[in-house]
Amino acid sequence: EVQLLESGGVLVQPGGSLRLSCAASGFTFSSYAINWVRQAPGKGLEWVSNINSGGGTDYADSVKGRFTVSRDNSKNTLYLQMNSLRAEDTAVYYCAKSLTSGWYGSCDYWGQGTLVTVSS
Amino acid sequence: DIQMTQSPSSVSASVGDRVTITCRASQGISSSLAWYQQKPGKAPKLLIYAASNLQSGVPSRFSGSGSGTDFTLTISSLQPEDFATYYCEQSKRFPLTFGGGTKVEIK
């Protein structure tokens, strides 16, 4: 059974840093691109970043230069390092697996989400 | 960036109704479009990928169509468990972008 489990979401002050983790199981983690998608309270879905099977990365302009996505295939774990956090980064953060090896979107499995709150 | 415009933003419908949601891309995206269903407090669920392919386990009352810039999600006979918010997503190029969502409410 495919599972994605996010962790690391907490209350953090503006300007602070945080690292989210996404532990994967039930599939060949190294073969798939994984996305981070966030959802601010009461709002729609916003794509944050992608890391492909080769380790290549892409970011939304809103987080570029502040967030860094990485993966440890030996641990089947994805990370999102979040620096210089702003109030507008407050959201539930989901990790989501791409449907097919070689694709980037069309995510067939999602974690339960982890809440990041940026506030003083 | 490719903008995805969904309409309507909300729709009130009854059980058994046929519901159609549209998504328009600001530029051509071939068939690189997915549809998701999201219920309150839950993660999104993939319904349709590559514009018209039904994800495994999704009921056949859901269908998708379109290519290029105009896409449609149709629920042929609305069931009580279908009341939710629906999103389209383009994956033609980065940044991946979602539509604003369509909330399907009980009439």
Side-chain angles (χ1 to χ4, degrees):
Chain A
E1 179 190 6
V2 172
Q3 290 192 334
L4 296 167
L5 184 62
E6 304 96 338
S7 61
V10 293
L11 171 64
V12 61
Q13 291 190 338
S17 296
L18 197 59
R19 189 178 81 158
L20 303 183
S21 299
C22 170
S25 60
F27 65 103
T28 306
F29 179 74
S30 60
S31 296
Y32 292 85
I34 309 288
N35 291 286
W36 285 101
V37 176
R38 68 184 180 184
Q39 188 167 36
K43 302 298 184 182
L45 301 172
E46 180 189 16
W47 174 78
V48 173
S49 71
N50 173 283
I51 185 165
N52 64 32
S53 58
T57 59
D58 280 275
Y59 299 92
D61 284 347
S62 58
V63 306
K64 200 171 292 183
R66 300 188 298 124
F67 290 12
T68 302
V69 61
S70 61
R71 65 192 301 161
D72 184 338
N73 291 335
S74 68
K75 296 182 178 179
N76 287 353
T77 301
L78 179 77
Y79 303 100
L80 185 67
Q81 179 66 43
M82 310 165 69
N83 298 330
S84 303
L85 283 162
R86 307 167 180 166
E88 53 265 34
D89 295 320
T90 294
V92 173
Y93 285 73
Y94 296 100
C95 59
K97 167 192 166 291
S98 61
L99 175 64
T100 301
S101 176
W103 286 23
Y104 295 109
S106 300
C107 297
D108 59 344
Y109 286 93
W110 296 63
Q112 84 290 349
T114 189
L115 176 62
V116 173
T117 304
V118 183
S119 175
S120 55
Chain B
D1 296 2
I2 299 173
Q3 308 303 319
M4 304 302 293
T5 303
Q6 256 183 267
S7 61
S9 57
S10 66
V11 57
S12 294
S14 301
V15 173
D17 284 354
R18 182 182 184 88
V19 173
T20 299
I21 299 168
T22 63
C23 189
R24 174 164 288 176
S26 60
Q27 58 186 270
I29 59 169
S30 303
S31 297
S32 300
L33 185 105
W35 290 98
Y36 297 91
Q37 176 194 68
Q38 188 180 33
K39 296 182 178 179
K42 300 295 186 181
K45 173 186 175 182
L46 179 66
L47 300 175
I48 302 285
Y49 63 93
S52 61
N53 292 271
L54 192 68
Q55 171 65 353
S56 176
V58 174
S60 58
R61 63 180 179 272
F62 291 93
S63 63
S65 64
S67 67
T69 60
D70 293 311
F71 301 87
T72 299
L73 173 70
T74 300
I75 310 171
S76 60
S77 177
L78 199 65
Q79 297 302 300
E81 60 268 30
D82 301 337
F83 292 96
T85 300
Y86 294 83
Y87 295 92
C88 60
E89 170 220 69
Q90 71 79 22
S91 55
K92 179 66 172 176
R93 59 180 57 91
F94 290 114
L96 305 187
T97 45
F98 290 90
T102 296
K103 188 173 184 179
V104 177
E105 300 174 299
I106 301 173
K107 193 171 187 179

